[in-house]
């Protein structure tokens, strides 16, 4: 047996690669890194996940057996050490830490608590006098025996891992409570979790376990967004800090990641993010937060938002007055003095002192952990999970652990077989699970670089670049014209729509939407477009709507202005060919006929009848060039870190623009690539173009993909490029897409996340349903709005609810490339 055959026979190893200097690189099988949720049963753990948990169990078993910090039963500090000095954290500080956590739990008046990972029982001792029943779990046998032997009334402690809520030992103990728990508590335990996928499985079962109106409290979370800050404080150089961050052995996550992990539940969940209010300045105060998940709870009061820097010369006094007032309020933008020592900054402790005696909560800013917020009353602290949707940046320890174990295993297997062990033997893990925060940031930067290099090579920046820039990524400075070009598009469309509406809404006239639709002679299937136009014109202040729902113009159009030159310049700036400018101009000139269905939009977009050529006109603009190259980079990384061949399913392949980019990224990598579309026209055209490198099938994203013949769990990567907005129910279609993904699989989506007015006025005619078809988005977050595209918050929320965690989003919000609002999302299966 060759070394490759020997290693590939091991269930943890998916591929073996040889380096030029004779070394070996082994890649983990994604199945060994994944957690498969089993409703009503404990999740099924991949082998490396199980090993990671066993490792932590052994660590704490040893820690608690050899612990010396056990002077008080309610303050056993075994294992609590400062990161910088290695010395025990002060007992007084730890007592305050435990008291504050118990206070947070008891604020919600629980009577039956299940604590996962109860440790030495610091919270147990503080909580049980206030409860009817308490069940605690822990992996470490010494503390289970010690706490179980205390004989506390109504208290049961069992040995179980956090994911074993549905295991027999925990179920039997919970049955003794007489009812389901109304609080599940995970305090200072998620650090020991191997991955976000494991966290999501635990949270899903915890959310399912609590009674309606109950809470799941995830306390003492290490914030992944502050990992770099923490390491820079500990290390003398930036390189050393980055190395320390990458090597951190604990799970850190941010509110966005927490929201994605909690969103998979089938119950209503809101979340409040509580800042630490400890008086001492330590890592526990600076870099951690508490999260309370409210399950099936009534909505809290709507709280007007006030900015901290608008509260006057003495904002603390103004805050105290607001907290003592009658109305709800949320104060945002409070700099955290421990992280941003600027004038006017406060700490969690100082805000707690200001708010003493009031019903309020000191919160963490969900977008920037260097800022704090205050909610009055405390019930106003909860936010919908949707409000936190986005691409998170967690730090998962599973990858580093798996790499180390794979190297050990590979060496052991080679030695046992009497084969030589190469001097250089390394391991890697695939994207999707176990990635540390440093490598996630590097992945995003590399994908962004690939997109910018494509812009440089093709010259599709909408601006002239120096010749020597062709081999360098296009900088933001060369793209600074994009926002203005997008604004020009919007303004041209608004003027055209206002001109059209002026014919049916002359000065002094007010009409309902239905009356406007009728006055324009609109075909029934296009009525939704007129409704959107009215909403947009009202939002832009060009129309007003009275309480009776009637619209009237606020100003007349400028009928003397010719937008032709502006339109052509804007198209050129955004990288569109001349033909697109002709289409936009022609469509705007024929809006009445388009509305009446006298001219189909297809006739304007495809004037010569060549559908493929016409559709290809839009494939090489600035946004598509950038995003397609980034997509190709994602495919290349996936191919390099998964078993050969990489299994790819592309949905809604259309004219093949993203297909070509994906194949460019794959280059010579071995791939089993299924190109699919709802139309045989496109699959046939793709077969003519790409030949036998691909397989071809008819698949409709608006129907169960597995039922149509796609293989369940048969894809490493699913691509949905500019197709999700065509789904009648995006969430349902995403769930069907997720069913195609194998363990560790990735979904790659490109989508517009903003409704461009010029598209709304022209190309949206192509989206009007045929007679008898339902409108788009009736079952998802677009329902009732008439919008075709999901927003930048809605799309990640739909992904998360479908069990797909966003791990990458491009372009960055600060880049001019964000102006066209075309985005790439990469999501990992939870």
């Amino acid at each position: 047996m060759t070394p490759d055959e020997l290693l590939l026979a091991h269930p943890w190893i998916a591929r073996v690669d040889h380096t030029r200097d004779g070394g070996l690189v082994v890649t983990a099988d994604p199945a060994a890194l994944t957690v498969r949720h089993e409703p009503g049963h404990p999740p099924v753990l991949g082998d490396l996940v199980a090993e990671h948990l066993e490792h932590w169990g052994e660590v704490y078993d040893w820690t608690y057996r050899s612990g010396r910090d056990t002077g008080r039963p309610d303050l056993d500090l075994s294992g609590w050490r400062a990161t910088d000095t290695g010395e025990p954290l002060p007992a007084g500080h730890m007592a305050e830490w435990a008291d504050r956590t118990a206070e947070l739990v008891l604020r919600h008046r629980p009577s039956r608590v299940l604590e996962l990972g109860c440790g030495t029982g610091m919270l147990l001792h503080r909580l049980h006098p206030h409860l009817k029943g308490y069940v605690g779990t822990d992996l470490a046998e010494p503390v289970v025996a010690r706490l179980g032997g205390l004989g506390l009334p109504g208290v049961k402690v069992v040995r179980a891992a956090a994911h074993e809520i549905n295991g027999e030992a925990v179920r039997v103990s919970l049955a003794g409570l007489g009812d389901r728990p109304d609080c599940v508590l995970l305090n200072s335990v998620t650090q020991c979790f191997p991955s976000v996928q494991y966290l999501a499985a635990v949270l899903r079962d915890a959310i399912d376990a609590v009674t309606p109106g109950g809470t799941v409290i995830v306390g003492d979370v290490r914030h992944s967004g502050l990992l770099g800050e923490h390491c820079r404080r500990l290390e003398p150089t930036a390189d050393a800090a980055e190395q320390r961050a990458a090597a951190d052995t604990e799970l850190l996550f941010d509110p966005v990641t927490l929201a994605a992990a909690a969103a998979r539940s089938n119950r209503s969940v809101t979340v409040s993010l509580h800042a630490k209010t400890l008086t001492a300045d330590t890592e526990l105060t600076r870099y951690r937060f508490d999260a309370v998940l409210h399950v099936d709870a009534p909505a809290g009061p709507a709280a007007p938002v006030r900015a901290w820097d608008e509260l006057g010369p003495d904002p603390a006094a103004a805050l105290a007055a607001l907290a003592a007032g009658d109305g709800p309020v949320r104060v945002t933008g409070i700099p955290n003095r421990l992280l941003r020592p600027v004038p006017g900054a406060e700490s969690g402790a100082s805000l707690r002192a200001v708010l003493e005696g009031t019903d309020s909560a000191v919160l963490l800013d969900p977008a920037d952990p260097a800022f704090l917020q205050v909610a009055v009353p405390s019930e106003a602290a909860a936010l919908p999970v949707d409000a936190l949707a986005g691409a998170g940046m967690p730090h998962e320890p599973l990858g580093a652990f798996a790499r180390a174990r794979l190297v050990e295993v590979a060496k052991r297997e080679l030695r046992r077989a009497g084969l030589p062990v190469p001097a250089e033997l390394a391991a890697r893990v695939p994207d999707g699970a176990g990635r540390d925060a440093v490598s996630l940031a590097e992945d995003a930067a590399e994908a962004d670089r690939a997109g910018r290099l494509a812009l440089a090579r093709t010259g599709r920046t909408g601006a002239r670049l120096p010749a020597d820039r062709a081999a360098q990524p296009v900088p933001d400075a060369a793209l600074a014209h994009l926002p203005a070009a997008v604004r020009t598009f919007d303004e041209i469309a608004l003027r055209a729509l206002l001109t059209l509406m002026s014919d049916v809404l002359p000065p002094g006239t007010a009409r309902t939407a239905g009356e406007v639709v009728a006055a324009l002679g609109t075909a029934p299937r296009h009525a939704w477009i007129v409704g959107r136009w009215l909403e947009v014109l009202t939002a832009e202040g060009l129309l007003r709507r009275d309480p009776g729902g009637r619209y009237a113009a606020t100003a007349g159009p400028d009928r003397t202005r010719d937008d032709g030159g502006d339109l052509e310049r804007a198209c050129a700036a955004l990288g569109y060919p001349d033909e697109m400018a002709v289409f936009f101009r022609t469509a705007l000139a024929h809006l009445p006929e388009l509305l009446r269905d006298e001219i189909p939009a297809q006739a304007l977009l495809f004037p010569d009848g060549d559908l493929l050529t016409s559709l290809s006109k839009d494939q090489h603009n600035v946004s598509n060039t950038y995003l397609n190259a980034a997509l190709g980079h994602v495919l290349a990384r996936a191919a390099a870190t998964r078993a050969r061949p990489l299994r790819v399913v592309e949905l809604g392949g259309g004219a093949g623009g993203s297909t070509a980019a994906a194949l460019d990224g794959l280059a010579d990598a071995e791939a089993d690539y299924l190109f699919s579309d709802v139309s045989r026209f496109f699959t046939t055209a793709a077969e003519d173009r790409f030949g036998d490198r691909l397989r071809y099938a008819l698949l409709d994203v608006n129907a169960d993909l597995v039922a149509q013949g796609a293989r369940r769990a048969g894809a490493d990567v699913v691509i949905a490029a500019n197709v999700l907005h065509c789904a009648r129910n995006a969430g349902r279609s995403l769930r069907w897409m997720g069913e195609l993904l194998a363990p560790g699989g990735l979904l790659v989506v490109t989508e517009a996340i903003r409704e461009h007015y010029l598209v709304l006025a022209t190309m949206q005619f192509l989206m009007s349903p045929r007679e008898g078809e339902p409108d788009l988005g009736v079952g998802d977050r677009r329902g009732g709005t008439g919008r075709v595209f999901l927003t930048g918050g809605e799309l990640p929320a739909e992904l998360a609810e479908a069990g797909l965690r966003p791990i990458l989003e491009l372009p960055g919000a600060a880049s001019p490339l964000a102006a066209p609002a075309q985005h790439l999302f990469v999501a990992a299966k939870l």
Side-chain angles (χ1 to χ4, degrees):
M1 182 179 290
T2 67
D4 288 20
E5 292 170 336
L6 175 72
L7 295 176
L8 287 171
H10 195 282
W12 298 356
I13 298 175
R15 65 183 284 167
V16 178
D17 291 286
H18 295 259
T19 63
R20 292 179 179 177
D21 56 2
L24 288 179
V25 179
V26 294
T27 300
D29 189 317
L33 300 167
T34 57
V35 178
R36 191 172 74 249
H37 187 261
E38 294 280 345
H41 301 278
V44 177
L45 308 183
D47 289 345
L48 285 166
V49 177
E51 284 242 340
H52 185 275
L53 293 176
E54 289 173 12
H55 161 75
W56 275 108
E58 292 168 359
V59 167
Y60 278 101
D61 228 38
W62 178 86
T63 298
Y64 295 142
R65 287 185 191 278
S66 58
R68 299 178 182 176
D69 304 310
T70 57
R72 290 169 46 186
D74 67 342
L75 199 63
D76 182 343
L77 302 180
S78 300
W80 287 93
R81 296 286 189 274
T83 304
D84 50 355
T85 65
E87 294 297 314
L89 289 160
H93 181 56
M94 291 305 304
E96 184 187 14
W97 172 88
D99 290 343
R100 292 282 182 267
T101 305
E103 177 186 281
L104 179 64
V105 175
L106 295 173
R107 178 184 297 177
H108 302 285
R109 299 181 179 85
S111 60
R112 300 169 303 280
V113 169
L114 167 63
E115 183 176 6
L116 305 176
C118 61
T120 60
M122 283 192 280
L123 295 181
L124 161 60
H125 284 286
R126 287 163 172 78
L127 295 175
H128 88 85
H130 306 277
L131 304 173
K132 292 180 180 178
Y134 170 98
V135 173
T137 74
D138 205 274
L139 270 176
E141 191 276 333
V143 294
V144 172
R146 186 190 314 162
L147 297 174
L150 294 176
L152 298 174
V155 171
K156 180 73 173 178
V157 181
V158 298
R159 190 176 188 191
H163 68 276
E164 294 177 313
I165 295 176
N166 290 316
E168 183 177 1
V170 178
R171 283 193 286 108
V172 169
S173 298
L174 288 176
L177 296 180
D179 199 354
R180 295 159 62 189
D182 48 16
C183 175
V184 177
L185 174 61
L186 301 91
N187 189 66
S188 202
V189 67
T190 57
Q191 293 93 309
C192 305
F193 287 5
S195 65
V196 173
Q197 195 175 45
Y198 181 87
L199 169 71
V202 172
L203 286 182
R204 186 172 181 181
D205 284 341
I207 291 168
D208 286 345
V210 298
T211 56
T215 58
V216 175
I217 298 179
V218 188
D220 209 41
V221 177
R222 292 186 64 194
H223 197 303
S224 57
L226 295 172
L227 176 59
E229 163 77 20
H230 182 35
C231 293
R232 286 189 292 273
R233 190 181 181 103
L234 299 175
E235 297 292 344
T237 67
D239 286 345
E242 185 171 289
Q243 291 172 10
R244 185 183 189 113
D248 196 295
T249 59
E250 296 186 342
L251 174 67
L252 292 77
F253 52 89
D254 48 23
V256 170
T257 301
L258 175 66
R264 190 66 178 92
S265 168
N266 294 321
R267 302 179 72 180
S268 171
V269 177
T270 58
V271 60
S272 50
L273 305 167
H274 296 261
K276 291 294 189 181
T277 60
L278 307 176
T279 51
D281 178 7
T282 73
E283 62 191 271
L284 301 187
T285 316
R286 285 191 298 270
Y287 306 125
R288 305 193 183 202
F289 69 97
D290 302 316
V292 179
L293 307 179
H294 308 267
V295 181
D296 294 337
V305 175
R306 298 285 300 276
W308 179 252
D309 58 7
E310 296 175 357
L311 293 187
D314 189 351
L319 176 63
L322 287 171
D326 295 330
V329 68
R330 193 180 190 102
V331 179
T332 63
I334 309 171
N336 186 341
R337 187 167 63 222
L338 305 185
L339 299 170
R340 289 178 60 90
V342 298
E346 298 281 350
S347 67
S350 67
L351 288 172
R352 177 184 173 89
V354 168
L355 299 166
E356 188 70 32
T358 67
D359 179 17
S360 55
V362 180
L363 307 173
L364 183 81
D365 187 303
D368 188 341
F371 287 85
L372 303 172
Q373 299 183 357
V374 167
V376 182
S378 56
E379 287 79 4
L383 297 170
V385 173
D386 286 18
L388 305 179
M393 190 65 68
H395 175 89
E396 300 177 274
L398 181 59
F401 175 84
R403 289 192 296 269
R405 287 292 289 125
L406 283 177
V407 169
E408 293 170 1
V409 165
K411 289 179 177 179
R412 182 192 67 199
E413 295 298 305
L414 291 170
R415 289 189 184 113
R416 284 179 176 176
L419 296 170
V421 177
E424 298 294 331
L425 200 162
R428 59 189 172 192
V429 297
D431 298 350
R435 304 301 301 283
D436 61 80
V438 173
S439 66
L440 278 175
E442 289 174 350
D443 287 351
E446 289 171 2
D448 176 73
R449 175 182 170 83
R452 292 170 183 269
L453 280 171
L455 289 173
R457 286 194 304 269
T458 61
R460 293 190 177 97
T461 63
R464 184 171 303 221
L465 291 176
D468 61 352
R469 290 293 312 181
Q472 297 295 323
V474 173
D476 278 349
L479 301 166
H481 60 283
L482 295 180
V486 171
R487 285 195 300 273
T488 298
F489 265 16
D490 285 344
E491 290 164 359
I492 289 171
L494 290 171
R495 284 193 289 270
L497 294 179
L498 185 61
T499 299
L500 176 71
M501 292 297 175
S502 67
D503 293 333
V504 295
L505 290 174
T509 302
R511 284 176 161 166
T512 65
E515 291 169 341
V516 171
V517 167
L520 290 170
T522 309
R525 71 190 193 99
H526 294 322
W528 70 276
I529 294 181
V530 176
R532 285 303 301 147
W533 291 351
L534 292 170
E535 293 293 326
V536 165
L537 290 169
T538 302
E540 292 290 340
L542 300 173
L543 298 180
R544 66 175 181 272
R545 181 172 50 199
D546 65 24
R550 294 177 303 175
Y551 293 87
T554 60
D558 182 359
R559 297 180 183 272
T560 65
R561 179 161 182 166
D562 181 6
D563 286 325
D566 291 341
L567 179 59
E568 290 173 355
R569 285 187 289 271
C571 280
L574 292 167
Y576 289 103
D578 294 342
E579 294 90 339
M580 286 303 297
V582 171
F583 163 73
F584 287 134
R585 185 167 55 250
T586 306
L588 292 176
H590 292 86
L591 288 179
E593 296 90 341
L594 287 167
L595 279 175
R596 294 192 293 266
D597 249 357
E598 295 171 356
I599 299 177
Q602 291 87 337
L604 302 182
L605 187 57
F606 319 127
D608 54 6
D610 187 345
L611 183 61
L612 280 175
T613 300
S614 297
L615 287 176
S616 298
K617 295 172 185 174
D618 190 32
Q619 289 186 353
H620 303 299
N621 60 51
V622 172
S623 285
N624 284 345
T625 298
Y626 167 80
L627 294 178
N628 278 337
L631 180 150
H633 175 81
V634 171
L635 268 287
R637 280 194 54 86
T641 58
R642 281 171 173 78
R644 305 178 185 89
L646 183 73
R647 298 166 300 171
V648 181
V649 173
E650 183 176 4
L651 301 167
S658 295
T659 314
L663 294 176
D664 285 346
L666 289 170
D668 296 328
E670 189 178 350
D672 174 19
Y673 196 121
L674 177 66
F675 176 100
S676 73
D677 198 273
V678 71
S679 168
R680 192 174 299 281
F681 173 84
F682 288 116
T683 58
T684 301
E687 191 167 4
D688 290 341
R689 179 178 179 183
F690 300 115
D692 59 7
R693 186 173 183 185
L694 311 183
R695 295 186 296 114
Y696 305 90
L698 294 176
L699 292 174
D700 182 0
V701 297
N702 282 310
D704 187 319
L705 295 165
V706 172
Q708 295 176 69
R711 182 183 170 192
R712 186 186 303 275
D716 300 307
V717 180
V718 171
I719 301 172
N722 292 309
V723 68
L724 193 60
H725 63 271
C726 298
R728 289 190 285 272
N729 182 325
R732 184 177 59 192
S733 292
L734 285 170
R735 286 189 287 275
W736 286 328
M737 293 177 196
E739 290 177 357
L740 305 188
L741 291 172
L746 301 175
L747 174 67
V748 183
V749 172
T750 58
E751 272 293 325
I753 60 168
R754 201 212 112 181
E755 185 178 55
H756 288 291
Y757 298 158
L758 189 58
V759 172
L760 175 62
T762 56
M763 298 188 75
Q764 298 296 65
F765 284 98
L766 298 171
M767 305 301 296
S768 288
R770 297 186 182 92
E771 186 175 352
E773 288 184 348
D775 292 335
L776 293 173
V778 291
D780 58 40
R781 285 169 170 78
R782 296 170 293 172
T785 67
R787 286 187 287 107
V788 169
F789 299 105
L790 293 156
T791 67
E794 291 171 341
L795 199 156
E798 294 283 359
L799 286 167
E801 286 187 6
L804 299 159
R805 173 172 64 93
I807 59 174
L808 184 150
E809 179 182 357
L810 290 176
S815 170
L817 284 162
Q822 285 281 130
H823 278 232
L824 169 73
F825 292 88
V826 179
K829 187 172 184 180
L830 278 175

